[in-house]
Amino acid sequence: MGGPGPDAPARPFPRELLAGDTLAAARALLGARLAREPEPGDPLGERRVGRIVEVEAYIGEEDRASHARFGRTARNGVMFGPPGLAYVYLVYGMHHCLNVVTEPAPRPAALLVRAVEPVAGLAAMRAARATTRTAVGRARGTGASPPPDSRLAAGPGLVCAAFTIDRSRTGDDLCDPASSLRLELAPDGEAPPAIETTPRVGIDYAGEPWTSVPWRFLVPGSPSLSRRA
DNA sequence: GCAAAGATTTGCT
DNA sequence: GCAAATCTTTGCC
């Protein structure tokens, strides 16, 4: 047989790849998989998998764009903990965003997962998107045509909507193969993706140099990049 | 105790 | 291209 089929054994994402420099971890995370095992109550009970194609780095208390800029608080505490854990927060009162904690405690750093390419469980992602229908969509009425498959998780809020992730997942160990929400290496034999960097998005409040540092990492040409790409 | 702003998305203009 | 939706967290009185 050729490459691994759809039932090839998953390869856990090594915590060491997240324990060092966050910018190196960002490059390691691109091309890796975000996976969620079905749980009772999940749409269709399908395993959902996406290929990570866009992340942003938030590094240290000195980073004025990071939630860690306030020092350790009840919300951001997990960022000061060990690498590999999930940090999920609510932004604008309606969208959840998933981060992967990096660097050893007590250094606060994380990678925001901004976009993934749907690989498996697309029907469950669509169902989850419909359930988590955005507040603005509800308020302004009907309209909404369903997004194409490649756009199901094409943004930080959409990743969480498609994978049914909320703040209750904060602290989940994404490197533990037993976790229902976890990271996996790309299938053996898959070529590592090309990588481009840009400044981070939506952080004008941070000021220089934080608004300009090239800490957004993406796979150029992916159809699943976030809108503000 | 209250005001302000936010690591976004969407539909309409 | 713009502004609304929505509520938690932070900052200041």
PDB file of all heavy atoms in Angstrom, chain A residues 103-125:
ATOM      1  N   GLU A 103       6.104  27.013  25.827  1.00  0.00           N
ATOM      2  CA  GLU A 103       7.194  27.381  26.736  1.00  0.00           C
ATOM      3  C   GLU A 103       6.922  26.897  28.165  1.00  0.00           C
ATOM      4  O   GLU A 103       5.778  26.822  28.594  1.00  0.00           O
ATOM      5  CB  GLU A 103       7.464  28.900  26.694  1.00  0.00           C
ATOM      6  CG  GLU A 103       7.713  29.383  25.270  1.00  0.00           C
ATOM      7  CD  GLU A 103       8.431  30.734  25.198  1.00  0.00           C
ATOM      8  OE1 GLU A 103       9.076  31.133  26.170  1.00  0.00           O
ATOM      9  OE2 GLU A 103       8.354  31.365  24.127  1.00  0.00           O
ATOM     10  N   PRO A 104       7.993  26.585  28.883  1.00  0.00           N
ATOM     11  CA  PRO A 104       7.839  26.027  30.235  1.00  0.00           C
ATOM     12  C   PRO A 104       7.259  27.055  31.200  1.00  0.00           C
ATOM     13  O   PRO A 104       7.465  28.258  31.042  1.00  0.00           O
ATOM     14  CB  PRO A 104       9.284  25.670  30.636  1.00  0.00           C
ATOM     15  CG  PRO A 104      10.080  25.681  29.368  1.00  0.00           C
ATOM     16  CD  PRO A 104       9.405  26.663  28.465  1.00  0.00           C
ATOM     17  N   ALA A 105       6.536  26.582  32.214  1.00  0.00           N
ATOM     18  CA  ALA A 105       6.081  27.450  33.292  1.00  0.00           C
ATOM     19  C   ALA A 105       7.310  28.057  33.965  1.00  0.00           C
ATOM     20  O   ALA A 105       8.352  27.410  34.024  1.00  0.00           O
ATOM     21  CB  ALA A 105       5.269  26.631  34.293  1.00  0.00           C
ATOM     22  N   PRO A 106       7.202  29.295  34.455  1.00  0.00           N
ATOM     23  CA  PRO A 106       6.023  30.150  34.494  1.00  0.00           C
ATOM     24  C   PRO A 106       6.006  31.193  33.383  1.00  0.00           C
ATOM     25  O   PRO A 106       5.355  32.218  33.518  1.00  0.00           O
ATOM     26  CB  PRO A 106       6.181  30.831  35.851  1.00  0.00           C
ATOM     27  CG  PRO A 106       7.671  31.049  35.967  1.00  0.00           C
ATOM     28  CD  PRO A 106       8.322  29.886  35.255  1.00  0.00           C
ATOM     29  N   ARG A 107       6.699  30.930  32.298  1.00  0.00           N
ATOM     30  CA  ARG A 107       6.735  31.903  31.195  1.00  0.00           C
ATOM     31  C   ARG A 107       5.415  31.834  30.427  1.00  0.00           C
ATOM     32  O   ARG A 107       5.064  30.777  29.897  1.00  0.00           O
ATOM     33  CB  ARG A 107       7.897  31.577  30.271  1.00  0.00           C
ATOM     34  CG  ARG A 107       7.899  32.365  28.982  1.00  0.00           C
ATOM     35  CD  ARG A 107       9.004  33.382  28.935  1.00  0.00           C
ATOM     36  NE  ARG A 107       9.137  33.976  27.626  1.00  0.00           N
ATOM     37  CZ  ARG A 107       9.140  35.295  27.419  1.00  0.00           C
ATOM     38  NH1 ARG A 107       8.996  36.122  28.436  1.00  0.00           N
ATOM     39  NH2 ARG A 107       9.297  35.771  26.200  1.00  0.00           N
ATOM     40  N   PRO A 108       4.654  32.940  30.318  1.00  0.00           N
ATOM     41  CA  PRO A 108       3.356  32.915  29.658  1.00  0.00           C
ATOM     42  C   PRO A 108       3.484  33.100  28.149  1.00  0.00           C
ATOM     43  O   PRO A 108       3.926  34.148  27.691  1.00  0.00           O
ATOM     44  CB  PRO A 108       2.618  34.090  30.286  1.00  0.00           C
ATOM     45  CG  PRO A 108       3.705  35.075  30.612  1.00  0.00           C
ATOM     46  CD  PRO A 108       4.938  34.259  30.936  1.00  0.00           C
ATOM     47  N   ALA A 109       3.128  32.094  27.393  1.00  0.00           N
ATOM     48  CA  ALA A 109       3.173  32.172  25.935  1.00  0.00           C
ATOM     49  C   ALA A 109       2.171  31.183  25.364  1.00  0.00           C
ATOM     50  O   ALA A 109       1.842  30.182  26.002  1.00  0.00           O
ATOM     51  CB  ALA A 109       4.577  31.866  25.416  1.00  0.00           C
ATOM     52  N   ALA A 110       1.678  31.489  24.162  1.00  0.00           N
ATOM     53  CA  ALA A 110       0.689  30.608  23.548  1.00  0.00           C
ATOM     54  C   ALA A 110       0.593  30.885  22.058  1.00  0.00           C
ATOM     55  O   ALA A 110       1.039  31.928  21.570  1.00  0.00           O
ATOM     56  CB  ALA A 110      -0.677  30.796  24.208  1.00  0.00           C
ATOM     57  N   LEU A 111       0.013  29.926  21.358  1.00  0.00           N
ATOM     58  CA  LEU A 111      -0.254  30.071  19.922  1.00  0.00           C
ATOM     59  C   LEU A 111      -1.761  30.039  19.704  1.00  0.00           C
ATOM     60  O   LEU A 111      -2.435  29.075  20.089  1.00  0.00           O
ATOM     61  CB  LEU A 111       0.417  28.937  19.141  1.00  0.00           C
ATOM     62  CG  LEU A 111       1.943  28.994  19.144  1.00  0.00           C
ATOM     63  CD1 LEU A 111       2.532  27.667  18.681  1.00  0.00           C
ATOM     64  CD2 LEU A 111       2.441  30.137  18.256  1.00  0.00           C
ATOM     65  N   LEU A 112      -2.281  31.093  19.088  1.00  0.00           N
ATOM     66  CA  LEU A 112      -3.701  31.157  18.737  1.00  0.00           C
ATOM     67  C   LEU A 112      -3.913  30.395  17.425  1.00  0.00           C
ATOM     68  O   LEU A 112      -3.274  30.697  16.414  1.00  0.00           O
ATOM     69  CB  LEU A 112      -4.121  32.616  18.555  1.00  0.00           C
ATOM     70  CG  LEU A 112      -5.502  32.862  17.946  1.00  0.00           C
ATOM     71  CD1 LEU A 112      -6.610  32.375  18.872  1.00  0.00           C
ATOM     72  CD2 LEU A 112      -5.690  34.334  17.615  1.00  0.00           C
ATOM     73  N   VAL A 113      -4.799  29.401  17.457  1.00  0.00           N
ATOM     74  CA  VAL A 113      -5.112  28.635  16.245  1.00  0.00           C
ATOM     75  C   VAL A 113      -6.147  29.419  15.450  1.00  0.00           C
ATOM     76  O   VAL A 113      -7.324  29.470  15.808  1.00  0.00           O
ATOM     77  CB  VAL A 113      -5.647  27.232  16.594  1.00  0.00           C
ATOM     78  CG1 VAL A 113      -5.989  26.458  15.322  1.00  0.00           C
ATOM     79  CG2 VAL A 113      -4.637  26.470  17.438  1.00  0.00           C
ATOM     80  N   ARG A 114      -5.705  30.052  14.374  1.00  0.00           N
ATOM     81  CA  ARG A 114      -6.580  30.964  13.624  1.00  0.00           C
ATOM     82  C   ARG A 114      -7.362  30.297  12.507  1.00  0.00           C
ATOM     83  O   ARG A 114      -8.415  30.827  12.098  1.00  0.00           O
ATOM     84  CB  ARG A 114      -5.751  32.124  13.043  1.00  0.00           C
ATOM     85  CG  ARG A 114      -5.271  33.138  14.073  1.00  0.00           C
ATOM     86  CD  ARG A 114      -4.714  34.376  13.379  1.00  0.00           C
ATOM     87  NE  ARG A 114      -5.687  34.973  12.499  1.00  0.00           N
ATOM     88  CZ  ARG A 114      -6.561  35.907  12.871  1.00  0.00           C
ATOM     89  NH1 ARG A 114      -6.554  36.370  14.097  1.00  0.00           N
ATOM     90  NH2 ARG A 114      -7.416  36.393  12.010  1.00  0.00           N
ATOM     91  N   ALA A 115      -6.852  29.174  11.962  1.00  0.00           N
ATOM     92  CA  ALA A 115      -7.584  28.545  10.865  1.00  0.00           C
ATOM     93  C   ALA A 115      -7.093  27.123  10.643  1.00  0.00           C
ATOM     94  O   ALA A 115      -5.907  26.837  10.805  1.00  0.00           O
ATOM     95  CB  ALA A 115      -7.406  29.348   9.570  1.00  0.00           C
ATOM     96  N   VAL A 116      -8.026  26.228  10.295  1.00  0.00           N
ATOM     97  CA  VAL A 116      -7.684  24.860   9.914  1.00  0.00           C
ATOM     98  C   VAL A 116      -8.440  24.470   8.649  1.00  0.00           C
ATOM     99  O   VAL A 116      -9.536  24.961   8.396  1.00  0.00           O
ATOM    100  CB  VAL A 116      -7.990  23.836  11.037  1.00  0.00           C
ATOM    101  CG1 VAL A 116      -7.393  24.283  12.366  1.00  0.00           C
ATOM    102  CG2 VAL A 116      -9.468  23.586  11.167  1.00  0.00           C
ATOM    103  N   GLU A 117      -7.798  23.597   7.858  1.00  0.00           N
ATOM    104  CA  GLU A 117      -8.450  23.002   6.693  1.00  0.00           C
ATOM    105  C   GLU A 117      -9.187  21.747   7.134  1.00  0.00           C
ATOM    106  O   GLU A 117      -8.569  20.825   7.666  1.00  0.00           O
ATOM    107  CB  GLU A 117      -7.409  22.595   5.633  1.00  0.00           C
ATOM    108  CG  GLU A 117      -6.871  23.718   4.789  1.00  0.00           C
ATOM    109  CD  GLU A 117      -5.855  23.205   3.770  1.00  0.00           C
ATOM    110  OE1 GLU A 117      -5.746  21.976   3.598  1.00  0.00           O
ATOM    111  OE2 GLU A 117      -5.180  24.040   3.151  1.00  0.00           O
ATOM    112  N   PRO A 118     -10.494  21.675   6.917  1.00  0.00           N
ATOM    113  CA  PRO A 118     -11.236  20.474   7.302  1.00  0.00           C
ATOM    114  C   PRO A 118     -10.688  19.238   6.579  1.00  0.00           C
ATOM    115  O   PRO A 118     -10.476  19.269   5.360  1.00  0.00           O
ATOM    116  CB  PRO A 118     -12.668  20.785   6.844  1.00  0.00           C
ATOM    117  CG  PRO A 118     -12.746  22.273   6.861  1.00  0.00           C
ATOM    118  CD  PRO A 118     -11.375  22.737   6.426  1.00  0.00           C
ATOM    119  N   VAL A 119     -10.435  18.163   7.357  1.00  0.00           N
ATOM    120  CA  VAL A 119      -9.903  16.917   6.808  1.00  0.00           C
ATOM    121  C   VAL A 119     -10.901  15.781   6.956  1.00  0.00           C
ATOM    122  O   VAL A 119     -11.065  14.956   6.066  1.00  0.00           O
ATOM    123  CB  VAL A 119      -8.575  16.539   7.512  1.00  0.00           C
ATOM    124  CG1 VAL A 119      -8.131  15.134   7.138  1.00  0.00           C
ATOM    125  CG2 VAL A 119      -7.485  17.548   7.173  1.00  0.00           C
ATOM    126  N   ALA A 120     -11.573  15.723   8.107  1.00  0.00           N
ATOM    127  CA  ALA A 120     -12.550  14.659   8.357  1.00  0.00           C
ATOM    128  C   ALA A 120     -13.637  15.189   9.274  1.00  0.00           C
ATOM    129  O   ALA A 120     -13.423  16.152  10.016  1.00  0.00           O
ATOM    130  CB  ALA A 120     -11.863  13.445   8.992  1.00  0.00           C
ATOM    131  N   GLY A 121     -14.798  14.563   9.194  1.00  0.00           N
ATOM    132  CA  GLY A 121     -15.903  14.985  10.047  1.00  0.00           C
ATOM    133  C   GLY A 121     -16.528  16.287   9.597  1.00  0.00           C
ATOM    134  O   GLY A 121     -17.036  17.067  10.404  1.00  0.00           O
ATOM    135  N   LEU A 122     -16.542  16.513   8.288  1.00  0.00           N
ATOM    136  CA  LEU A 122     -17.070  17.780   7.774  1.00  0.00           C
ATOM    137  C   LEU A 122     -18.554  17.957   8.067  1.00  0.00           C
ATOM    138  O   LEU A 122     -18.999  19.081   8.345  1.00  0.00           O
ATOM    139  CB  LEU A 122     -16.809  17.892   6.265  1.00  0.00           C
ATOM    140  CG  LEU A 122     -15.418  18.433   5.893  1.00  0.00           C
ATOM    141  CD1 LEU A 122     -14.317  17.479   6.290  1.00  0.00           C
ATOM    142  CD2 LEU A 122     -15.352  18.766   4.410  1.00  0.00           C
ATOM    143  N   ALA A 123     -19.290  16.859   8.035  1.00  0.00           N
ATOM    144  CA  ALA A 123     -20.724  16.969   8.318  1.00  0.00           C
ATOM    145  C   ALA A 123     -20.944  17.413   9.753  1.00  0.00           C
ATOM    146  O   ALA A 123     -21.819  18.248  10.034  1.00  0.00           O
ATOM    147  CB  ALA A 123     -21.412  15.628   8.052  1.00  0.00           C
ATOM    148  N   ALA A 124     -20.133  16.888  10.668  1.00  0.00           N
ATOM    149  CA  ALA A 124     -20.251  17.292  12.070  1.00  0.00           C
ATOM    150  C   ALA A 124     -19.857  18.752  12.240  1.00  0.00           C
ATOM    151  O   ALA A 124     -20.452  19.484  13.041  1.00  0.00           O
ATOM    152  CB  ALA A 124     -19.371  16.400  12.945  1.00  0.00           C
ATOM    153  N   MET A 125     -18.843  19.186  11.492  1.00  0.00           N
ATOM    154  CA  MET A 125     -18.442  20.593  11.568  1.00  0.00           C
ATOM    155  C   MET A 125     -19.577  21.493  11.082  1.00  0.00           C
ATOM    156  O   MET A 125     -19.875  22.521  11.701  1.00  0.00           O
ATOM    157  CB  MET A 125     -17.195  20.828  10.716  1.00  0.00           C
ATOM    158  CG  MET A 125     -15.946  20.134  11.244  1.00  0.00           C
ATOM    159  SD  MET A 125     -14.500  20.528  10.214  1.00  0.00           S
ATOM    160  CE  MET A 125     -13.343  19.264  10.774  1.00  0.00           C
TER     161      MET A 125
END
